[in-house]
Amino acid sequence: MSSQIDHLLTETRRFAPPAAFAAAAVGTAELYERAAADREGFWADQARELHWHTPFTQTLDWSNPPFAKWFDDGELNVAYNCLDRHVEAGNGDRVALLWEGEPGDDRRVTYAELTDEVKRVANVLTELGIEAGDRVAIYMPMIPEAVAAMLAVARVGAVHSVVFGGFSADSLRTRIDDAGAKLVITADGGYRKGKVSPLKPAVDQALADRGSGPQQSVEHVLVVRRGGNDIEWTDGRDLWWHEVVPAASAEHEAQPFPAENPLFILYTSGTTGKPKGILHTSGGYLTQAAFTNRVVHDLHPETDVYWCTADIGWVTGHSYVTYGPLANGATQVLYEGTPDTPHPGRSWEIIQKYGVTIYYTAPTAIRSFMKVGRQVPAEFDLSSIRLLGSVGEPINPEAWMWYRSVLGGGEAPIVDTWWQTETGAIMISALPGVTEAKPGSAQVALPGISIDVVDENGGPVGEGNGGLLVITEPWPSMLRGIWGDPDRFVETYWAKFDSQGYYFAGDGARLDDDGDIWLMGRVDDVMNVSGHRLSTTEIESALVGNEAVAEAAVVGAADEATGQAVVAFCVIKQSYMTKHEELDGLVGELRAWVAQQIGAIARPRDVYLVTELPKTRSGKIMRRLLRDVAEGREVGDTTTLADTMVMSTISGQVTKK
Ligand code: WT7
């Protein structure tokens, strides 16, 4: 790892933006100066790019840290900003969504059409008793109705909780219960990897056998027909979208809501077993999502065709599919399926078909394209691309160079964007028309954002050194809390640097001699698999929930394709071993078990059956040592282990397998 880091930090290649790009860029060097001179005034200016039913007079209220209020006395309607105002400005015929289904069916949805649909859905929500502040769970494939559902919930001032369609019924149930959702919006199924992947059955399962769970909060399930798969129906509870939405009125006047009205909850893994419901509100969130989408992606809404490949189940899909681009009046591609279905050139076919100019994806996807080889994209015309973006995990310089040369025609600027579910929007990134790009570094804080790299005591480490990444000033799209758990919010993000008042991101970072930031991965028990955040503890508790497992330890091991991979070490119960002579097949069963409990993304790459786990004298599992084993390295310092022999036993058991 450390030699890898040294290698990264000696990266000397620099790429200035093409002159024509720089000349026409939305984000200019002047933004840094303006923000430095008056940070709050700068954000107030950005907020005024939105439509406010009631203009705000106060920018930031930080009188009760870490609970921020931005633009608090202002009122706006988030959906109005993403829809009606573009129609009223005469842009109703502009295409909002260039939707492409996985099997190749497609739909173009204009701003006028999307506005009409959202107004109808908003009326349906009201008829179903959804009021401002109520929670609505959304469990959907990547279809236009998913975007419409989010916007309709926002339009009536309610709060959505989008649950990624790849999550299991159990994960869905936990999220529905935690938020107390009154309504679930779903589809029968959607296309994934060449077949229909069912969704409604998981909703049924999540809502059945509530057992000792909280009082059933869900009153209705609104179902889009997409997959055509057979589903069960609960009369009185379930409603077809295609029956109720077209029948509803398309008259709906957007009401103003306070800037701090909750907009959404999005669950993300933390260091404990229970996912955290990250809460975002309206005015500040939309301000920063829209601003960053303009300046980082260099969005020219009249001419660009933008494509962010993220699913709406992740924060990237919230900020850079739904809210940022639509607030800016962009035309964007929305793709339902997987990038290699039905053929490995599917993404390039889509770029060619729609003339995509801005492409935003994750390093894990780039690495998988690299593996297939450049001859695949070479068969398509990708010359429309003029900007590339990366998000979710560090991008290695090799992948960066491939991205630029194969997809970017050797000259498209690349923006490596660092942010989190909690930050709501991009925080660290180049401005593509200004910054000289450096492969592998996310580079610098955006205008209006204050970031530092500090030591354990909160002191700045200075250029040339490594430490912990902190955000030193509040920002408009910051999380406002963890749903239902203010103490956990304070404890998780603010307690570590309490005296400085810094937000602790959980990432390690280094500053190079130019002051550019290099992200070094999580410093806590959180893994990053294909740019998705997974908690070691959450997977461990799923494993010990299996009848065979007495104890489990999970680590994230370096993986060429996915960045990190889940590797589990399990101690099997004596009682299970006496009952089952053979443990053959158990490894496969445990992998499948985790996928079923949490979702396919959490399925361990490897499961090792061991007789013991390495523990300190106080009983804490030493995951660092297991990571050494999982990554095939010599095991590090074992002197704090209660039993120093245990690691050689484990190493023996792992290699025997
Ligand atoms: C964690 C946040 C941001 C939306 C997708 C992930 C890692 C994110 C980068 C980047 C290095 C990155 C961090 C962060 N991360 N972007 N450009 N370079 N690391 O959102 O699931 O909330 O995860 O992803 O470790 O803390 P998330």
Side-chain angles (χ1 to χ4, degrees):
M1 182 74 179
S2 73
S3 67
Q4 209 180 322
I5 292 168
D6 290 343
H7 178 72
L8 286 175
L9 292 172
T10 54
E11 172 66 61
T12 53
R13 289 171 287 195
R14 300 286 179 275
F15 300 95
F21 188 107
V26 182
T28 58
E30 197 235 328
L31 291 176
Y32 293 107
E33 288 158 33
R34 271 171 59 203
D38 176 11
R39 215 176 58 85
E40 287 185 29
F42 169 82
W43 282 120
D45 287 349
Q46 303 313 327
R48 289 191 194 100
E49 297 282 320
L50 300 175
H51 175 88
W52 293 83
H53 280 77
T54 312
F56 57 90
T57 63
Q58 191 187 20
T59 300
L60 170 66
D61 175 357
W62 192 233
S63 58
N64 180 29
F67 299 92
K69 290 179 182 164
W70 284 85
F71 318 118
D72 191 30
D73 59 351
E75 290 185 310
L76 79 170
N77 184 293
V78 169
Y80 177 89
N81 272 281
C82 294
L83 299 165
D84 312 53
R85 71 165 169 150
H86 304 313
V87 178
E88 288 165 18
N91 293 320
D93 291 337
R94 186 183 295 167
V95 174
L97 304 175
L98 293 160
W99 178 74
E100 177 86 10
E102 194 186 74
D105 47 339
D106 59 19
R107 272 161 69 190
R108 282 167 195 250
V109 185
T110 64
Y111 274 93
E113 289 164 345
L114 190 59
T115 304
D116 178 278
E117 177 93 342
V118 169
K119 287 180 173 178
R120 290 176 199 273
V121 182
N123 281 322
V124 169
L125 295 181
T126 304
E127 281 162 32
L128 294 177
I130 302 298
E131 291 172 5
D134 286 344
R135 276 80 59 205
V136 176
I138 297 180
Y139 186 64
M140 289 180 88
M142 287 290 281
I143 54 178
E145 288 82 355
V147 174
M150 293 169 80
L151 292 170
V153 172
R155 190 175 186 93
V156 301
V159 187
H160 58 69
S161 162
V162 182
V163 179
F164 174 54
F167 276 129
S168 67
D170 257 357
S171 299
L172 175 61
R173 170 186 305 165
T174 319
R175 287 158 175 76
I176 288 173
D177 286 350
D178 188 75
K182 265 172 98 172
L183 170 71
V184 181
I185 308 181
T186 189
D188 49 359
Y191 286 88
R192 293 297 297 174
K193 299 188 177 150
K195 54 181 204 293
V196 172
S197 163
L199 290 165
K200 170 75 162 52
V203 175
D204 291 337
Q205 202 184 326
L207 299 184
D209 345 307
R210 310 298 284 179
S212 56
Q215 189 74 29
Q216 169 75 270
S217 58
V218 174
E219 294 167 5
H220 291 283
V221 179
L222 182 57
V223 189
V224 177
R225 183 142 73 199
R226 165 60 184 155
N229 47 310
D230 281 340
I231 53 171
E232 282 173 21
W233 204 253
T234 303
D235 285 325
R237 187 197 69 181
D238 300 348
L239 302 154
W240 278 116
W241 178 290
H242 64 257
E243 286 175 3
V244 294
V245 173
S249 162
E251 299 290 311
H252 187 277
E253 200 185 327
Q255 299 302 311
F257 293 101
E260 286 296 340
N261 197 47
L263 177 61
F264 67 86
I265 303 167
L266 186 59
Y267 288 84
T268 186
S269 298
T271 52
T272 71
K274 191 171 172 256
K276 304 175 278 200
I278 303 300
L279 176 69
H280 283 286
T281 59
S282 303
Y285 170 78
L286 194 63
T287 296
Q288 197 176 331
F291 166 73
T292 51
N293 177 236
R294 283 196 300 275
V295 302
V296 174
H297 297 118
D298 192 45
L299 184 75
H300 294 74
E302 312 77 25
T303 48
D304 275 314
V305 178
Y306 166 93
W307 185 16
C308 165
T309 65
D311 190 282
I312 50 147
W314 310 109
V315 74
T316 310
H318 283 60
S319 304
Y320 299 108
V321 176
T322 301
Y323 292 111
L326 295 179
N328 288 327
T331 295
Q332 67 176 317
V333 170
L334 188 73
Y335 174 54
E336 178 186 34
T338 32
D340 55 356
T341 305
H343 60 82
R346 187 69 168 115
S347 298
W348 324 130
E349 182 181 66
I350 292 171
I351 289 174
Q352 176 179 284
K353 175 172 174 183
Y354 296 108
V356 170
T357 57
I358 303 168
Y359 180 66
Y360 188 36
T361 197
T364 188
I366 300 166
R367 288 192 299 266
S368 72
F369 300 141
M370 283 171 79
K371 220 156 85 189
V372 180
R374 59 171 72 211
Q375 74 284 357
V376 177
E379 284 171 33
F380 298 87
D381 179 5
L382 306 179
S383 60
S384 54
I385 292 179
R386 60 176 199 86
L387 177 83
L388 297 165
S390 173
V391 58
E393 53 179 318
I395 174 164
N396 44 311
E398 232 188 301
W400 199 101
M401 291 305 298
W402 190 94
Y403 201 26
R404 179 179 157 93
S405 94
V406 178
L407 299 188
E411 63 168 25
I414 296 177
V415 286
D416 176 359
T417 61
W418 179 90
W419 57 297
Q420 310 178 295
T421 306
E422 291 87 342
T423 69
I426 300 170
M427 303 292 282
I428 303 174
S429 168
L431 286 186
V434 178
T435 320
E436 276 209 348
K438 208 183 257 189
S441 168
Q443 305 202 277
V444 290
L446 286 180
I449 299 299
S450 309
I451 300 263
D452 207 350
V453 180
V454 300
D455 59 27
E456 280 291 329
N457 305 314
V461 296
E463 289 171 4
N465 296 303
L468 303 170
L469 190 78
V470 293
I471 307 171
T472 60
E473 298 286 350
W475 64 102
S477 65
M478 66 196 287
L479 76 166
R480 299 303 197 261
I482 294 177
W483 185 256
D485 202 344
D487 294 344
R488 191 175 175 196
F489 168 61
V490 174
E491 181 53 38
T492 308
Y493 305 105
W494 304 93
K496 189 167 175 74
F497 298 111
D498 183 31
S499 46
Q500 294 86 356
Y502 293 167
Y503 168 92
F504 174 48
D507 280 27
R510 289 183 70 102
L511 283 180
D512 69 15
D513 292 336
D514 304 327
D516 280 320
I517 302 164
W518 296 74
L519 276 310
M520 294 298 164
R522 303 286 309 189
V523 295
D524 51 15
D525 288 333
V526 171
M527 293 169 287
N528 188 326
V529 178
S530 299
H532 300 314
R533 209 200 290 193
L534 294 171
S535 139
T536 53
T537 331
E538 193 182 355
I539 300 176
E540 285 165 4
S541 44
L543 282 165
V544 296
N546 183 284
E547 52 154 1
V549 180
E551 267 190 295
V554 165
V555 299
D559 184 282
E560 258 192 31
T562 58
Q564 281 189 312
V566 179
V567 175
F569 295 82
C570 298
V571 179
I572 303 307
K573 283 182 191 152
Q574 198 53 50
S575 58
Y576 185 90
M577 298 218 270
T578 18
K579 263 195 289 173
H580 300 75
E581 279 164 21
E582 300 274 327
L583 292 184
D584 283 10
L586 183 58
V587 163
E589 275 170 41
L590 292 176
R591 292 181 66 231
W593 168 265
V594 173
Q596 184 213 322
Q597 295 289 304
I598 301 174
I601 46 161
R603 181 187 287 121
R605 182 189 71 190
D606 303 306
V607 173
Y608 296 117
L609 307 182
V610 295
T611 46
E612 258 181 289
L613 296 175
K615 289 184 187 158
T616 61
R617 269 161 225 121
S618 60
K620 198 169 161 356
I621 296 172
M622 291 190 72
R623 291 195 185 75
R624 167 173 66 79
L625 301 175
L626 293 173
R627 200 171 304 125
D628 289 340
V629 174
E631 295 180 346
R633 247 193 322 273
E634 200 173 316
V635 173
D637 182 10
T638 58
T639 48
T640 54
L641 280 178
D643 168 6
T644 52
M645 285 308 293
V646 67
M647 284 317 296
S648 50
T649 316
I650 291 174
S651 299
Q653 287 161 339
V654 165
T655 39
K656 242 189 6 243
K657 184 206 152 238

